[in-house]
């Protein structure tokens, strides 16, 4: 708008004006007498000013919704003149735009300088003409430029190639439609993860919506000037941020204040799973946690988790954006405020306001979500807003824990050392297949690590829990719970699964009984500590507890279901030790695994055959019967447990209780001092999937 059109006036766009400060705007709105002018600037399709209408508006309303693609909508009524009728050469024609200003006179100045606040730039969607004997009027419905794209369809198929930066993808969509008015399209490293194709006849707004929502914490809209904006949402704020408006305790403009809270939706952990990649079998995953010591962190309220499964998300980056965005929304009381006030014309969605709560007298800051205001002098403004969340309420940063684990794997043999033990005693080695190490954040004492293989692909994942395994400080990974839970032993357990999957193939291992796979994994490092928890009470073996373990073992041998508690692992461990102690002369676990590997049968049958080929039992049933009859005595007489202290030998296959020549305690099982720095793995191509 030119200076000649607003003599002695200032124009304010998006709450900003050269030469004016927020204090100027505040004092202007707080005048005891407010002289208001609604001005409508009519623009042609090239943004040239066609006319300026002042004093013709008889009413109307505007709404701003910061959560919607179409951010600004409204209605406006005029006294009807012929030049306002919907006709090609008239002002309110389909190709024209209108820009609405609310002007407030500064009655403290000699010439009553007017400041015009831009309320938005709109397209006319539905003009309605009313003609009566005593009155002629026209009412127009308004939407910002995004509304135009609801009905605009692509004439030709539009393709956005994979790995196109998302900002460039949006520009491409808009440029195809002739859009040139860009205010702020923020660049980033984020890309379109897969090819997007928008068919003939699909709408432009659907394309904008799809690209904008590839990453949940980005915002797309048109500003008050009618220019396109795409930028990353600001989810947390510095406490020193200055608000655009302050409603203090005695604010003359605020007419009412209501605030609502909710406990129901409070979460401090968000887990997001994307779509499984059909080629690799991998599913992208991200987990976002609130700092445990925060107001609603796990230290204060326990773990409150919500899981999202989003098949539209195909990359870890997308899942990360989703998890962080959802955590931001859910990790608080979701305080929402509704404020009725005299209109404050420069406020916009996502502006910060400060409010002194009339009831509690507490001062809080809020982010404006929506605004609704009437355009007459007597009309009010209704603001909905949510409480500001500061930068001291943030995601739990696990970088140091991740680097600690990666260092131990890379330089202290946390994968390579158990691989050597597995090869030595089981005769199995990985086939050079991919192993992706993932990191997540669970509760203390939960699932500390797990390996996942996939049918149809050789890629596997090893997922490590940062709460347990990331809290240690030494080479063994002692996180000060139980020596059986040393990180190197837990990862050694998981490497048995990874090596078996690679060496035998997923088709075979997927049909092996769970007890055998878990028992083999426990046996490689020894699980006497776990067994003691299952059967020892008051420093003595409890017969009823031992009988339960043997009964569980028999049930598993007979095909019973896997319960997945610690006792199941103890029972499986005892079975494997029983197998090893009953080998035929010249046979061992290497020959046992070789029998399974070489069998043409599935895993279940191959295991039964291996028992009859390598042990002293002529039938599988004879083995089951023997274990049932002798299992309890075997534990008491053949498994050496230290009932009053730490194990001198953990019971591993390489220790003195079985195939070794010296006792191996918790620190000796995997000796990090013998690891070769830089040797990550001998049987896998390992990649680290950092959070």
């Amino acid at each position: 708008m030119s200076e000649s059109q607003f003599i002695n006036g200032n124009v304010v766009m998006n709450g900003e004006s050269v030469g004016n400060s927020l204090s100027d705007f505040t004092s202007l709105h707080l005048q005891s007498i407010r002289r208001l002018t609604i001005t409508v600037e009519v623009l042609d399709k090239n943004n040239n000013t066609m006319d300026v209408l002042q004093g013709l508006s008889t009413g109307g309303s505007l709404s701003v919704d910061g959560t919607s693609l179409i951010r600004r909508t409204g209605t406006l009524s005029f006294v009807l003149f012929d030049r306002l009728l919907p006709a090609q050469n008239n002002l309110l024609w389909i190709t024209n735009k209108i820009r609405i200003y609310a002007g407030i006179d500064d009655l403290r100045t000699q010439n009553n300088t007017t400041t015009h606040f831009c309320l938005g730039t709109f397209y006319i969607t539905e003009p309605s003409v009313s003609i009566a004997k005593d009155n002629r009027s026209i009412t127009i419905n308004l939407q910002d430029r995004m509304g135009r794209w609801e009905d605009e369809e692509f004439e030709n198929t539009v393709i956005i190639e994979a790995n196109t930066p998302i900002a460039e993808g949006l520009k491409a969509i808009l440029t195809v439609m002739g859009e040139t008015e860009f205010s702020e399209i923020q660049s980033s490293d984020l890309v379109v993860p897969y090819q997007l194709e928008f068919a003939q006849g699909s709408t432009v707004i659907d394309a904008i919506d799809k690209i904008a929502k590839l990453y949940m914490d980005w915002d797309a809209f048109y500003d008050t000037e009618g220019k396109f904006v795409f930028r990353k949402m600001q989810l947390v704020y510095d406490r020193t941020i200055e608000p655009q408006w302050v409603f203090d305790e005695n604010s003359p403009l605020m007419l009412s204040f209501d605030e609502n809270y909710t406990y129901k939706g409070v979460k401090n952990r968000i887990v997001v799973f994307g779509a499984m990649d059909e080629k690799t079998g991998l599913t992208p995953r991200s987990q976002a946690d609130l700092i445990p010591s925060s107001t609603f962190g796990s230290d204060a309220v326990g773990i409150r988790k919500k899981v999202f499964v989003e098949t539209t998300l195909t990359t870890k980056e997308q899942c990360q954006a989703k998890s962080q965005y959802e955590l931001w929304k859910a990790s608080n009381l979701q305080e929402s405020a509704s404020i009725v006030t005299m209109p404050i014309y420069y406020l916009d969605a996502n502006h910060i306001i400060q409010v002194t709560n009339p009831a509690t007298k507490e001062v809080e800051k809020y982010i404006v979500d929506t605004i609704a205001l009437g355009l007459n002098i007597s009309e009010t403004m209704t603001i909905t807003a949510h409480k500001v969340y500061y930068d001291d309420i943030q995601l739990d940063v696990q970088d140091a824990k991740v680097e600690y684990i990666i260092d131990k794997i890379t330089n202290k043999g946390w994968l390579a050392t158990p691989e050597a033990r597995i090869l030595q005693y089981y005769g199995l080695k990985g086939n050079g297949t991919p192993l992706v190490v993932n990191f997540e954040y669970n509760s203390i004492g939960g699932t500390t690590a797990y390996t996942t293989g996939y049918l149809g692909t050789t890629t596997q994942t090893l997922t490590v829990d940062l709460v347990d395994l990331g809290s240690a400080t030494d080479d063994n990974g002692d996180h000060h719970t139980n020596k059986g839970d040393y990180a190197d032993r837990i990862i050694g357990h998981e490497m048995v699964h990874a090596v078996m999957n690679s060496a035998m193939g997923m088709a075979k291992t997927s049909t092996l009984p769970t007890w055998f796979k878990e028992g083999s994994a426990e046996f490689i490092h020894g699980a006497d500590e776990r067994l003691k928890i299952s059967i020892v009470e008051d420093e003595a073996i409890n017969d009823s507890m031992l009988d339960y373990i043997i009964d569980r073992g028999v049930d598993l041998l007979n095909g019973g279901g896997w319960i997945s508690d610690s006792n199941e692992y103890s029972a499986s461990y005892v079975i494997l030790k029983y197998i090893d102690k009953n080998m035929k002369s010249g046979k061992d676990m290497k020959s046992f695994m070789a029998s399974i590997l070489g069998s043409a049968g599935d895993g279940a049958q191959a295991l039964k055959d291996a028992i009859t080929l390598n042990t002293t039992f002529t039938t599988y049933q004879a083995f089951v019967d023997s274990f049932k009859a002798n299992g309890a005595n075997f534990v008491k007489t053949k498994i050496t447990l230290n009932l009053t202290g730490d194990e001198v030998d953990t019971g591993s296959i390489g220790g003195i209780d079985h195939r070794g020549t010296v006792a191996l305690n918790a620190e000796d099982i995997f000796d990090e001092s013998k690891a070769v720095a830089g040797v990550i793995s001998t049987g896998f191509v390992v990649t680290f999937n950092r959070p």
Side-chain angles (χ1 to χ4, degrees):
M1 188 168 292
S2 64
E3 283 188 32
S4 61
Q5 293 165 327
F6 283 109
I7 304 299
N8 298 321
N10 300 305
V11 176
V12 179
M13 297 282 194
N14 294 321
E16 298 179 1
S17 176
V18 177
N20 288 78
S21 66
L22 287 178
S23 60
D24 294 328
F25 298 156
T26 300
S27 60
L28 193 63
H29 281 79
L30 289 174
Q31 294 178 105
S32 57
I33 298 175
R34 182 183 292 192
R35 185 184 295 168
L36 177 69
T37 303
I38 298 298
T39 301
V40 176
E41 182 183 16
V42 183
L43 308 172
D44 65 16
K45 61 182 179 181
N46 297 316
N47 288 328
N48 298 313
T49 300
M50 299 176 65
D51 203 346
V52 176
L53 308 177
Q54 285 185 317
L56 298 182
S57 173
T58 59
S61 63
L62 297 178
S63 296
V64 183
D65 186 349
T67 65
S68 173
L69 278 176
I70 303 174
R71 178 163 286 194
R72 302 171 207 282
T73 59
T75 63
L76 199 60
S77 298
F78 297 95
V79 176
L80 184 60
F81 294 91
D82 289 345
R83 63 193 175 113
L84 299 182
L85 282 167
Q88 184 172 3
N89 296 319
N90 284 352
L91 292 178
L92 303 184
W93 183 237
I94 188 172
T95 57
N96 299 338
K97 295 175 283 188
I98 66 172
R99 186 170 288 159
I100 302 175
Y101 300 85
I104 300 181
D105 294 349
D106 189 345
L107 302 179
R108 301 160 300 179
T109 62
Q110 184 175 3
N111 56 1
N112 295 339
T113 302
T114 303
T115 298
H116 301 273
F117 296 93
C118 182
L119 303 181
T121 303
F122 301 89
Y123 280 84
I124 303 164
T125 59
E126 294 177 343
S128 175
V129 176
S130 175
I131 300 175
K133 289 182 180 181
D134 55 349
N135 182 41
R136 293 186 352 137
S137 65
I138 180 169
T139 299
I140 54 176
N141 291 327
L142 305 168
Q143 287 184 329
D144 66 25
R145 185 170 177 81
M146 194 73 79
R148 178 183 171 186
W149 303 133
E150 279 189 305
D151 298 320
E152 289 284 341
E153 299 174 344
F154 294 119
E155 181 180 357
N156 300 303
T157 299
V158 176
I159 295 176
I160 306 297
E161 296 292 349
N163 299 317
T164 300
I166 52 173
E168 296 304 315
L170 276 172
K171 278 186 180 180
I173 290 292
L174 293 167
T175 302
V176 164
M177 303 309 296
E179 177 65 277
T180 58
E181 293 292 314
F182 300 120
S183 177
E184 177 189 352
I185 294 189
Q186 187 175 331
S187 298
S188 73
D189 295 331
L190 300 177
V191 298
V192 176
Y194 48 83
Q195 185 186 80
L196 296 177
E197 181 174 323
F198 304 105
Q200 294 170 309
S202 58
T203 63
V204 178
I205 198 169
D206 285 344
I208 293 172
D209 186 53
K210 186 163 188 176
I211 296 176
K213 287 183 178 177
L214 286 171
Y215 302 91
M216 294 296 297
D217 52 354
W218 284 71
D219 208 6
F221 61 94
Y222 279 86
D223 63 16
T224 57
E225 296 178 69
K227 295 180 180 180
F228 187 81
V229 177
F230 181 64
R231 66 189 178 202
K232 188 174 178 63
M233 295 178 184
Q234 188 169 358
L235 301 184
V236 292
Y237 294 81
D238 191 298
R239 287 185 180 274
T240 61
I241 190 170
E242 291 296 323
Q244 271 85 2
W245 185 269
V246 175
F247 292 101
D248 59 27
E249 185 176 356
N250 300 310
S251 175
L253 299 190
M254 188 167 71
L255 304 177
S256 69
F257 175 83
D258 295 297
E259 190 170 35
N260 295 308
Y261 310 82
T262 177
Y263 292 132
K264 188 175 181 180
V266 173
K267 306 293 178 186
N268 50 35
R269 170 174 299 164
I270 302 294
V271 183
V272 177
F273 292 93
M276 186 179 74
D277 188 315
E278 293 182 357
K279 293 182 179 179
T280 66
L282 299 179
T283 300
R285 177 190 186 279
S286 179
Q287 179 173 313
D289 284 81
L290 201 62
I291 289 180
S293 58
S294 299
T295 302
F296 296 106
S298 57
D299 289 351
V301 299
I303 291 178
R304 293 172 176 253
K305 177 168 60 176
K306 184 171 180 60
V307 177
F308 292 86
V309 179
E310 300 283 350
T311 57
T312 58
L313 307 180
T314 61
T315 67
K316 186 175 182 67
E317 289 76 14
Q318 287 181 285
C319 293
Q320 266 181 337
K322 171 75 172 177
S323 64
Q324 293 176 12
Y325 177 68
E326 295 295 340
L327 182 65
W328 166 70
K329 292 196 300 182
S331 58
N332 50 76
L333 289 179
Q334 301 169 60
E335 299 96 323
S336 60
S338 178
I339 301 168
V340 179
T341 178
M342 296 301 293
I344 303 163
Y345 292 109
Y346 66 86
L347 284 182
D348 199 358
N350 295 323
H351 275 177
I352 303 295
I353 58 175
Q354 181 174 297
V355 182
T356 300
N357 189 305
T360 65
K361 309 304 180 186
E362 293 183 358
V363 177
E364 300 286 1
K365 291 177 183 175
Y366 295 84
I367 304 167
V368 174
D369 295 318
T370 68
I371 295 172
L373 74 152
L375 296 177
N376 287 331
I377 188 64
S378 60
E379 300 277 5
T380 60
M381 171 187 281
T382 299
I383 299 169
T384 65
H386 65 269
K387 190 174 176 182
V388 173
Y389 314 121
Y390 295 108
D391 54 9
D392 58 349
I393 301 177
Q394 57 187 326
L395 302 183
D396 201 352
V397 179
Q398 303 298 326
D399 291 349
K401 297 179 180 181
V402 169
E403 296 309 318
Y404 162 74
I405 292 171
I406 290 177
D407 174 66
K408 299 310 175 191
I409 289 175
T410 302
N411 299 309
K412 294 299 179 180
W414 277 14
L415 303 186
T417 300
E419 282 182 284
R421 184 66 52 81
I422 294 164
L423 179 62
Q424 179 182 1
Y425 290 105
Y426 290 170
L428 300 175
K429 183 178 181 180
N431 290 326
T433 49
L435 181 65
V436 180
V437 181
N438 290 326
F439 301 92
E440 65 181 16
Y441 194 69
N442 288 309
S443 58
I444 293 175
T447 301
T448 51
Y450 57 91
T451 302
T452 308
Y454 307 89
L455 289 170
T457 177
T458 58
T459 300
Q460 298 184 73
T461 59
L462 169 61
T463 302
V464 176
D465 174 29
L466 296 174
V467 170
D468 289 310
L469 301 196
S471 62
T473 55
D474 62 12
D475 289 347
N476 290 116
D478 180 6
H479 45 93
H480 314 294
T481 53
N482 183 301
K483 289 197 172 187
D485 290 334
Y486 280 3
D488 62 351
R489 295 176 67 178
I490 289 171
I491 290 180
H493 171 114
E494 295 305 322
M495 288 308 294
V496 173
H497 296 316
V499 171
M500 288 178 71
N501 289 339
S502 181
M504 296 182 179
M506 278 298 302
K508 179 159 287 184
T509 57
S510 65
T511 56
L512 279 169
T514 302
W515 68 260
F516 177 73
K517 291 182 286 188
E518 297 301 344
S520 298
E522 290 288 81
F523 194 23
I524 204 70
H525 71 94
D528 283 359
E529 295 94 341
R530 184 196 292 274
L531 181 59
K532 284 196 298 185
I533 294 172
S534 294
I535 66 173
V536 173
E537 187 176 48
D538 296 330
E539 298 183 351
I541 292 177
N542 182 303
D543 286 337
S544 63
M545 294 167 68
L546 175 57
D547 288 343
Y548 175 79
I549 294 301
I550 301 304
D551 288 343
R552 284 302 307 141
V554 173
D555 187 50
L556 291 170
L557 290 170
N558 285 324
W562 181 259
I563 298 175
S564 195
D565 64 10
S566 185
N567 288 330
E568 299 287 273
Y569 287 85
S570 292
S572 301
Y573 170 61
V574 172
I575 295 172
L576 262 291
K577 293 171 79 72
Y578 195 76
I579 289 174
D580 189 62
K581 288 294 187 180
N582 285 280
M583 289 289 185
K584 293 177 182 177
S585 177
K587 299 291 185 179
D588 55 19
M589 288 304 296
K590 289 175 70 174
S591 62
F592 193 94
M593 295 292 181
S595 295
I596 296 174
L597 182 60
S599 173
D602 66 8
Q605 187 58 50
L607 175 60
K608 291 179 179 180
D609 293 342
I611 288 175
T612 58
L613 288 170
N614 293 276
T615 70
T616 57
F617 304 103
T618 57
T619 66
Y620 178 74
Q621 190 58 50
F623 166 70
V624 175
D625 293 342
S626 176
F627 182 80
K628 181 177 181 179
N630 304 307
N633 186 61
F634 170 78
V635 170
K636 290 182 175 181
T637 59
K638 300 297 184 180
I639 297 180
T640 305
L641 300 177
N642 184 351
L643 302 180
T644 60
D646 293 335
E647 294 301 309
V648 176
D649 184 277
T650 66
S652 75
I653 191 173
I656 198 169
D657 273 0
H658 282 269
R659 303 286 172 173
T661 58
V662 296
L664 297 177
N665 63 19
E667 290 74 24
D668 298 332
I669 287 297
F670 302 121
D671 189 350
E672 280 75 20
S673 68
K674 297 179 181 178
V676 179
V679 177
I680 297 176
S681 171
T682 58
F684 295 94
V685 177
V686 177
T687 56
F688 298 104
N689 191 9
R690 287 175 168 84

